């Protein structure tokens, strides 16, 4: 494993993914791709109104279609015990009580499910289902509904923000961000099969198989172990797979009804209202500083959209308490119910929204104070301790991220005054912003199966949603055993394997890494116990004393005197050695605070005639502790940065207020960056291990790659043009009119 201080070059990095070949050759199976005997197909029918009550549903024509096996509506459905009554529905906290209500909360809400022999039969029959509704007044316009909810405190105040009145300079501004949709490449899909009345098998796209198990065990009142969930390959998630969504339940109900395995895959348009999204948000910031640049305080107000059947608070002001010293701080928040489906976590949830406003305001303040935005941040970073908890950071190298990024982008080429760097129709500008994320860790388990030839199979139920969990587990197993990587196989994404938390919140590797280390220690002890029959000295060996390599096991002090695995296996008549161990956070969390961080730097060109913004360079430097797998980590960061470009310039889930409809809910209408919109993202890491967070010293990276990216871009646009654009996405019309 190489430590690297230089910017990472994705194009020359050697190390791939353990699952790479399976993925690119089509060998890897995604949820909808499994061949299951007797499989039939289900298609959802969506409500055509955004608010109201179903008066009746007409399924007669659909039933006549050849191949139709059954139709589910709220009037005719298999029993779901966990939704038997209002009380149970509340208790289940499942979200939309699909087929267990006549209420309509949003347009597209499933009102029926058609099951048929083929996808074509089901799709055609679904098109024939009609319904009558009693329509209610609908609200889908977030900004229009803003005033209808009042702010309430979000956490404890610090000091007194009245101090802002005496600040030398203040910024007071509002920020609006449109809803964004995850849109992973793989659409959500479930294949459900009832193996017995109380035994369920699912091939399902999600970010946590154990979470899926628990959810359905509760809903169907069956033991968790009676449910097998297989999610071996997951084609992206970005948060959309962290909850269990109604379509998966619908598929399981269908399998119950027709007593056959059923497949339900969402269409791309259905993805826009079925699996969450980043809610629209409004923020107001008042930020002040002394003439020397020391922050006086911040008043942060935030509102985000939610649905009428659930309250989703995104936590927009969490990041306000994370990065900088504010002696005086007041944070307030509210959610705005809309006739839309419930939003959910989307990459950098809350923090990347709040961070956009804060980092835009700081940039604006820097011009007022005539202090370089880097210097202004450096003066105010909370580098010693978590500003809220007061616990010292275990490690926090956000300042080093800034220094390195400034070097990489040649920050000195930036003009301190806006609109000074002009080339023909193009204005050139530089901007930067930082981001941080509370670095977590959950309890996870890993298993190892070892064969006589010294090969290892390392297992966990955790999914790898494209983040590189598999390759990172392989690296940790290799580092801690000395066994060649080619002899270490990784198995994951199956609920029959040792349990693990969902992959989300930048917690995946942070959680599973320790479990792999613990399983290796257990394996070493087991090997030592068998070796004791050949060499008494192994009797009292601890895991730390044992050295492993492809040659066998040895003592660290024994100068490569190895007992071969072959002889161990033969002497002890072993077939396969199996160990399982778990690992999780401990008392270190009472002593230290943990965060990952990143600094983002951007060079843009803005065309003054068309308003077109071209990202010329995007540099992302991150502190994610020790980097376990260089290429996967760099992929994480560059992917997140591209997401940040989308957030800054393109992504917008528009709604039509008149019809209550989502607009552009497909890949023609919903724009995100393609290769032509994104430069090669320049990624670097600080790569210093965090000695306390977990055995391998890695902090999460999934979120920080996007927290601050949009602000860096908006700040660069200001530097280029003098236009302070506070509403995302910054489309050409806003650049021209702003
Ligand atoms: Mo993510 S929002 O942690 O999948």
């Amino acid at each position: 494993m190489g430590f690297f201080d230089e910017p990472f070059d994705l194009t020359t990095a050697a190390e791939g993914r353990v699952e790479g070949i399976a993925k690119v050759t089509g060998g890897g199976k995604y949820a909808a791709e499994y061949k299951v005997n007797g499989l039939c197909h289900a298609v959802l029918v969506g409500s055509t109104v955004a608010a109201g009550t179903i008066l009746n549903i007409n399924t007669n024509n659909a039933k006549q279609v050849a191949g139709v096996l059954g139709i589910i509506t709220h009037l005719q459905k298999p029993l779901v015990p966990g939704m038997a009554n209002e009380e149970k529905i509340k208790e289940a906290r499942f979200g939309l009580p699909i087929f267990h209500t006549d209420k309509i909360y949003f347009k597209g809400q499933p009102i029926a499910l058609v099951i048929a022999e083929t996808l074509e039969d089901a799709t055609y029959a679904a098109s024939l289902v009609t319904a009558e509704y009693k329509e209610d007044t609908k609200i889908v316009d977030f900004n229009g509904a803003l005033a209808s909810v009042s702010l309430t405190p979000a956490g404890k105040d610090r000091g007194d923000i009245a101090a802002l009145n005496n600040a030398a300079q203040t910024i007071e501004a509002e920020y609006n961000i449109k809803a964004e949709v995850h849109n992973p490449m793989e659409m959500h899909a479930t294949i459900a099969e009832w193996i017995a009345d109380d035994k369920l098998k699912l091939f399902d796209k999600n970010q946590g198989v154990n979470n899926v198990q628990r959810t359905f065990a509760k809903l169907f009142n069956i033991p968790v172990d009676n449910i097998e969930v297989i999610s071996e390959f997951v084609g992206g998630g970005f948060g959309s797979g962290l909850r269990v969504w109604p379509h998966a339940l619908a598929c399981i109900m269908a399998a119950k009804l027709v007593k056959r395995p059923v497949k339900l895959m969402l269409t791309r348009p259905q993805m826009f209202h079925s699996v969450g999204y980043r809610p629209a948000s409004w923020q107001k910031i008042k930020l002040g500083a002394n003439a020397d640049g020391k922050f006086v305080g911040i008043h942060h107000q935030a509102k985000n959209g939610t649905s009428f059947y659930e309250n989703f608070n995104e936590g927009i002001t969490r990041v306000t308490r994370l990065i900088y010293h504010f002696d005086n701080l007041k944070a307030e928040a509210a959610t705005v119910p809309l006739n839309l489906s419930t939003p959910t976590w989307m990459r950098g949830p809350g923090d990347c929204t709040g961070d956009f406003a804060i980092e835009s305001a700081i940039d604006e303040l820097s011009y007022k104070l005539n202090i370089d935005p880097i210097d202004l941040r450096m003066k105010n970073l909370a580098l010693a301790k978590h500003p809220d908890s007061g616990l010292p950071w275990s490690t926090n190298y956000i300042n080093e991220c800034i220094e390195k990024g400034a070097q990489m982008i040649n920050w000195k080429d930036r003009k301190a005054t806006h609109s000074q760097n002009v080339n023909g129709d193009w204005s050139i500008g530089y901007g930067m912003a930082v981001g941080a994320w509370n670095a977590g860790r959950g309890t996870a388990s890993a298993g190892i199966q070892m064969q006589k030839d010294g090969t290892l199979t390392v297992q966990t139920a955790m999914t790898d949603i494209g983040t590189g969990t598999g390759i990172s587990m392989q690296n940790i197993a290799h580092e801690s055993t000395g066994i060649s990587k080619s002899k270490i196989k990784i198995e994951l994404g199956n609920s029959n394997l040792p349990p693990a938390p969902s992959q989300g919140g930048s917690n995946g590797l942070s959680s599973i890494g320790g479990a792999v280390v613990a399983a290796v220690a257990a394996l070493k002890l087991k090997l030592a116990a068998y070796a004791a029959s050949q060499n008494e000295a192994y009797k009292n060996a601890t895991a730390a004393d044992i050295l492993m390599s492809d040659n066998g096991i040895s003592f660290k002090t024994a100068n490569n005197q190895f007992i071969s695995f072959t002889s161990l296996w033969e002497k002890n008549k072993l077939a396969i050695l199996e160990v399982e161990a778990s690992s999780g956070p401990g008392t270190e969390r009472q002593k230290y605070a943990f965060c990952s961080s990143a600094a983002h730097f951007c060079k843009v060109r803005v065309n003054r005639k068309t308003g077109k913004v071209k990202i010329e360079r995007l540099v992302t430097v991150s502190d994610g502790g020790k980097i376990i797998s260089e290429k996967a980590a760099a992929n994480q960061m560059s992917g997140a940065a591209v997401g940040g470009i989308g957030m800054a310039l393109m992504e917008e889930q528009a709604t039509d207020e008149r019809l209550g409809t989502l607009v552009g809910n497909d890949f023609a209408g919903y724009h995100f960056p393609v290769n032509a919109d994104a430069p090669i993202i320049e990624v670097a890491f600080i790569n210093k291990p965090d000695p306390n967070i977990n055995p391998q010293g890695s902090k999460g990276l999934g979120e920080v790659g996007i927290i601050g990216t949009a602000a860096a871009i908006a700040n660069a646009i200001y530097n280029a043009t003098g236009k302070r654009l506070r509403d995302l996405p910054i489309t050409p019309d806003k650049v021209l009119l702003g």
Side-chain angles (χ1 to χ4, degrees), residues 22-355:
K23 272 184 176 167
V24 299
T25 57
K29 286 218 176 347
Y30 295 84
E33 296 179 332
Y34 286 85
K35 300 262 176 289
V36 177
N37 279 340
L39 187 71
C40 52
H41 300 261
V43 169
L44 288 163
V45 180
S47 158
T48 55
V49 303
T53 311
I54 305 169
L55 294 178
N56 65 66
I57 302 185
N58 187 338
T59 57
N60 291 335
N61 291 338
K63 276 184 189 145
Q64 305 305 315
V65 175
V68 168
L69 300 165
I71 298 178
I72 294 175
T73 68
H74 71 286
L75 299 170
Q76 255 191 323
K77 57 180 182 280
L79 185 72
V80 178
M83 287 194 176
N85 53 48
E86 290 285 329
E87 206 107 301
K88 291 209 154 142
I89 288 174
K90 256 198 201 121
E91 194 189 308
R93 298 172 70 170
F94 179 73
L96 181 75
I98 185 169
F99 307 138
H100 287 76
T101 178
D102 59 355
K103 295 272 172 301
I104 297 298
Y105 299 98
F106 62 93
K107 201 160 181 173
Q109 175 183 326
I111 59 160
L113 182 74
V114 178
I115 307 117
E117 290 290 347
T118 68
L119 178 62
E120 290 76 12
D121 292 340
T123 305
Y124 175 60
S127 76
L128 302 178
V129 175
T130 57
E132 279 176 74
Y133 307 88
K134 181 177 103 40
E135 262 194 90
D136 291 338
T137 313
K138 61 190 172 297
I139 308 166
V140 298
D141 177 23
F142 172 72
N143 289 90
L146 265 182
S148 67
V149 298
S150 312
L151 292 157
T152 57
K156 251 179 84 181
D157 288 0
R158 246 183 259 151
D160 184 355
I161 52 153
L164 281 169
N165 297 331
N166 303 319
Q169 296 288 353
T170 53
I171 298 293
E172 192 167 1
E174 294 185 29
Y175 304 82
N176 292 282
I177 304 178
K178 288 286 184 359
E180 288 181 75
V181 186
H182 310 77
N183 270 318
M185 201 188 298
E186 179 202 12
M187 290 172 286
H188 283 244
T190 306
I191 294 174
E193 181 172 15
W194 287 94
I195 306 291
D197 277 352
D198 62 350
K199 277 192 108 175
L200 182 61
K201 182 173 181 177
L202 299 174
F203 299 97
D204 184 62
K205 187 239 173 75
N206 65 76
Q207 291 174 232
V209 294
N210 298 123
N211 180 45
V212 177
Q213 255 185 325
R214 282 191 298 270
T215 302
F216 290 124
K218 205 165 156 195
L219 283 177
F220 287 97
N221 197 19
I222 55 178
V224 166
D225 290 340
N226 283 17
I227 303 176
E228 182 184 4
V229 184
I230 297 154
S231 314
E232 197 187 349
F233 288 84
V234 181
F238 317 117
S240 67
L242 286 174
R243 282 194 79 178
V244 180
W245 299 103
H247 70 272
L249 175 58
C251 185
I252 295 169
M253 291 170 73
K256 190 128 232 176
L257 180 76
V258 301
K259 298 186 171 58
R260 279 172 59 177
V262 175
K263 183 200 293 196
L264 194 166
M265 185 170 86
L266 296 178
T267 63
R268 186 57 72 178
Q270 285 173 342
M271 286 283 288
F272 284 73
H273 61 243
S274 304
V275 291
Y277 54 93
R278 191 195 302 285
S281 61
W282 165 91
Q283 299 177 72
K284 187 171 179 186
I285 295 238
K286 188 170 181 187
L287 170 73
N290 293 328
D292 66 357
K294 182 86 186 72
F295 290 158
V296 172
I298 189 165
H299 186 191
H300 193 175
Q301 300 174 308
K303 295 182 183 181
N304 70 259
T306 186
S307 70
F308 274 107
Y309 55 95
E310 274 181 298
N311 185 31
F312 177 76
N313 187 329
E314 212 198 359
I316 293 172
T317 61
R318 188 174 45 233
V319 72
T320 324
R321 303 170 172 277
L322 196 59
I323 304 176
Y324 301 105
H325 278 296
F326 291 112
D327 288 335
N328 304 293
L329 178 150
K330 189 180 181 66
E332 296 168 289
T335 55
V336 183
L338 299 168
N339 286 110
L340 297 172
S341 60
T342 308
T344 193
W345 307 289
M346 179 166 156
R347 208 165 196 174
D351 289 25
C352 96
T353 302
D355 189 87

Side-chain angles (χ1 to χ4, degrees), residues 548-713:
M548 282 175 76
S549 83
D550 291 337
N551 297 324
I553 76 162
S554 165
F555 274 96
K556 277 201 173 135
T557 49
N559 203 16
N560 288 333
Q561 294 294 307
F562 281 94
I563 299 177
S564 77
F565 297 126
T566 316
S567 75
L568 262 191
W569 254 246
E570 282 171 0
K571 289 240 161 65
N572 294 285
K573 299 194 170 38
L574 298 174
I576 187 168
L577 264 194
E578 286 183 286
V579 292
E580 185 176 326
S582 63
S583 175
T587 52
E588 72 281 356
R589 295 217 159 240
Q590 280 131 48
K591 295 186 217 138
Y592 302 105
F594 298 91
C595 73
S596 305
S597 62
H600 311 276
F601 290 79
C602 179
K603 180 184 182 189
V604 293
R605 279 191 296 143
V606 183
N607 189 293
R608 287 191 307 284
K609 285 182 178 151
T610 64
K612 168 85 185 166
V613 175
K614 269 305 256 188
I615 310 285
E616 205 158 284
R617 292 183 65 198
L618 197 50
V619 168
T620 292
V621 184
S622 172
D623 167 24
K626 179 170 169 174
I627 300 307
I628 302 298
S629 172
E630 298 165 354
K631 192 172 194 173
N635 278 150
Q636 273 273 57
M637 300 310 290
S638 64
V642 173
I645 295 175
M647 181 181 184
L649 301 180
M650 296 165 204
E651 295 189 53
E652 166 172 21
Q653 174 57 79
T655 48
D656 181 308
E657 179 57 14
R658 206 168 33 94
L659 300 170
T661 306
L662 300 182
V663 178
N665 49 330
D666 54 42
F667 280 176
Y670 184 88
H671 289 188
F672 48 72
V674 296
N675 285 343
D677 300 309
I680 298 284
I681 311 295
E682 298 163 68
V683 177
F685 297 106
I686 302 304
N687 198 13
K688 292 183 182 169
D690 186 302
N692 301 302
I693 189 164
N694 51 36
Q696 76 273 15
S698 72
K699 303 190 281 190
L701 281 175
E703 324 298 323
V704 287
I706 195 173
I707 303 172
T709 316
I713 294 168

